[in-house]
């Protein structure tokens, strides 16, 4: 083969290598920039998931109560996920609010374990979008009723995709029926059995609070107390700490729990950050 032909092949190979390297370099540079922005971020949202049959407006009253008698008002962004993964936004994250509330709800709000698994997938669709757009490096999770089950499934099956970039600091569940309507933990539902099976996937640093309502000595009027207590078989000795609490008195019935005054106090004391600072503005939402 002539020497000139060899040189042409070498030059062509070098050109191809350079052309292939340019996109890789640009991608790496962009990724490093986004990682640096995420690490510097002071945003720490509280992401809320309602239970079955509840819309994205489920926590409006709760947010209003949490914003009373506080100099720092939490803004509210709501996202509804349709069955095809389409996201509909309403509300916004206000400039300087480093601890906003983000409610993620679903068009399909049916009950049942099979649907909870679907909803966890839709939760992941929404989480990926806010994770990408807002570049926060930590968050707190809150779930009422089935919302707590959806969060638990998401933590066991989806969180591993994000754990190197974002830390889930706390999970607070409210009236979440980990064994559905069963009052005897020896009769484990398939869902509870699966949660226990995959519990080692839960983050070791997670702090979990499980709240139940005490309308009677046995239930909150809908969810058996024993079903809520079954959560201990998932979280105890698996996460950093697991604390169970029972709230009583006015608004201790299942559907009223998010407006219960004790619940509001517990959220303020245990879920929200103790000191909130006003930081740089966050990107505007699509809503």
């Amino acid at each position: 083969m002539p020497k000139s032909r060899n040189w042409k092949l070498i030059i062509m190979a070098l050109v191809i290598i350079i052309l292939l390297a340019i996109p890789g370099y640009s991608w790496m540079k962009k990724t490093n920039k986004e990682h640096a922005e995420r690490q510097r971020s002071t945003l720490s949202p509280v992401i809320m998931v309602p239970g079955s049959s509840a819309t994205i407006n489920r926590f409006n009253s709760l947010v209003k109560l949490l914003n009373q008698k506080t100099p720092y008002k939490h803004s509210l962004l709501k996202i509804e996920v349709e069955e095809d993964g389409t996201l509909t936004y309403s509300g916004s994250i206000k400039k300087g609010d480093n601890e906003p509330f983000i409610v993620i709800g679903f068009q399909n709000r049916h009950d049942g374990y099979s649907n909870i698994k679907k909803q966890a997938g839709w939760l992941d669709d929404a989480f990926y979008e806010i994770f990408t757009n807002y570049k926060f490096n930590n968050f707190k999770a809150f779930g009422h009723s089935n919302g707590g089950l959806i969060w638990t499934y998401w933590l066991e099956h989806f969180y591993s995709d994000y754990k190197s970039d974002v830390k889930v600091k706390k999970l607070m569940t409210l009236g979440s029926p980990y064994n559905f309507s069963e009052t005897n933990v020896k009769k484990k539902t398939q869902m509870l059995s699966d949660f226990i099976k995959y519990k080692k996937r839960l983050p070791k640093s997670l702090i979990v609070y499980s709240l139940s309502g005490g309308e009677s000595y046995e239930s909150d009027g809908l969810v058996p107390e024993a079903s809520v207590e079954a959560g201990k078989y998932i979280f105890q000795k698996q996460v950093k700490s697991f604390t169970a609490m029972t709230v009583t008195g006015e608004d201790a019935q299942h559907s009223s729990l998010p407006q219960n005054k004790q619940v509001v106090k517990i959220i303020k004391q245990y879920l929200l950050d103790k000191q909130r600072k006003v930081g740089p503005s966050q990107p505007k939402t699509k809503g």
Side-chain angles (χ1 to χ4, degrees):
M1 184 181 290
K3 290 184 178 180
S4 59
R5 179 76 178 273
N6 287 340
W7 279 109
K8 286 180 181 179
L9 290 174
I10 292 171
I11 292 171
M12 288 176 62
L14 288 173
V15 170
I16 292 171
I17 291 171
I18 292 170
L19 290 174
L20 291 173
I22 289 174
Y25 173 76
S26 300
W27 175 85
M28 184 176 67
K29 187 176 180 181
K30 180 183 177 182
T31 301
N32 289 339
K33 181 181 178 181
E34 291 178 350
H35 181 73
E37 289 177 357
R38 191 177 302 281
Q39 292 304 307
R40 291 195 301 268
S41 175
T42 56
L43 188 68
S44 181
V46 178
I47 306 176
M48 300 178 161
V49 176
S52 60
S53 301
T55 70
I56 54 174
N57 298 317
R58 182 67 180 90
F59 300 119
N60 287 359
S61 296
L62 173 60
V63 171
K64 185 176 180 180
L65 291 169
L66 289 169
N67 275 333
Q68 291 179 355
K69 299 179 182 179
T70 175
Y72 302 108
K73 306 299 182 184
H74 304 263
S75 51
L76 177 60
L77 171 65
K78 293 181 279 189
I79 305 170
E80 183 174 71
V81 190
E82 297 182 20
E83 292 194 57
D84 63 359
T86 301
L87 307 182
T88 302
Y89 293 78
S90 58
S92 64
I93 295 178
K94 294 181 181 178
K95 179 180 179 180
D97 182 8
N98 288 332
E99 194 177 36
F101 295 129
I102 302 176
V103 176
I104 298 175
F106 314 104
Q107 181 188 46
N108 179 342
R109 300 184 287 273
H110 298 310
D111 199 359
Y113 183 34
S114 61
N115 212 56
I116 285 169
K117 290 189 281 189
K118 292 179 183 178
Q119 290 163 334
W122 295 323
L123 168 61
D124 190 62
D125 291 338
F127 187 89
Y128 178 79
E129 287 297 315
I130 59 176
F131 165 82
T132 303
N133 292 334
Y134 295 104
K135 298 179 175 60
F136 51 89
N137 57 52
N138 71 87
F139 71 99
K140 288 86 67 175
F142 178 85
H144 174 233
S145 193
N146 280 8
L149 309 180
I150 295 166
W151 268 124
T152 303
Y153 191 92
W154 183 87
L155 287 168
E156 290 187 345
H157 295 274
F158 293 94
Y159 176 61
S160 60
D161 294 337
Y162 307 92
K163 66 180 182 180
S164 61
D165 294 304
V166 63
K167 177 183 178 181
V168 53
K169 295 167 64 178
K170 302 173 184 177
L171 167 66
M172 182 175 287
T173 62
L174 180 61
S176 294
Y178 280 99
N179 205 24
F180 281 140
S181 60
E182 286 290 346
T183 58
N184 186 349
V185 75
K186 292 182 179 180
K187 298 179 180 179
K188 291 181 176 63
T189 61
Q190 185 62 54
M191 181 181 68
L192 178 58
S193 297
D194 287 349
F195 281 153
I196 294 172
K197 178 180 178 180
Y198 296 110
K199 66 180 182 179
K200 290 186 178 180
R201 296 180 179 179
L202 294 168
K204 305 295 183 184
S205 61
L206 182 64
I207 297 172
V208 179
Y209 300 98
S210 174
L211 280 60
S212 59
E215 186 183 57
S216 69
Y217 290 110
E218 297 179 351
S219 77
D220 60 12
L222 181 63
V223 174
E225 189 171 342
S227 182
V228 177
E229 289 179 351
K232 66 185 180 183
Y233 296 101
I234 304 164
F235 298 107
Q236 276 186 352
K237 299 181 181 181
Q238 194 59 51
V239 297
K240 183 176 181 179
S241 69
F242 173 78
T243 305
M245 308 181 196
T246 301
V247 298
T248 58
E250 187 178 355
D251 292 329
Q253 195 272 340
H254 185 76
S255 61
S256 302
L257 283 172
Q259 293 80 249
N260 182 285
K261 292 180 180 179
Q262 292 182 64
V263 170
V264 173
K265 289 181 180 178
I266 289 170
I267 291 174
K268 286 183 176 181
Q269 183 174 355
Y270 295 103
L271 188 63
L272 303 185
D273 291 340
K274 294 294 184 293
Q275 294 182 341
R276 297 177 59 218
K277 297 179 181 179
V278 176
S281 61
Q282 305 299 333
K284 292 183 179 180
T285 70
K286 297 179 183 178

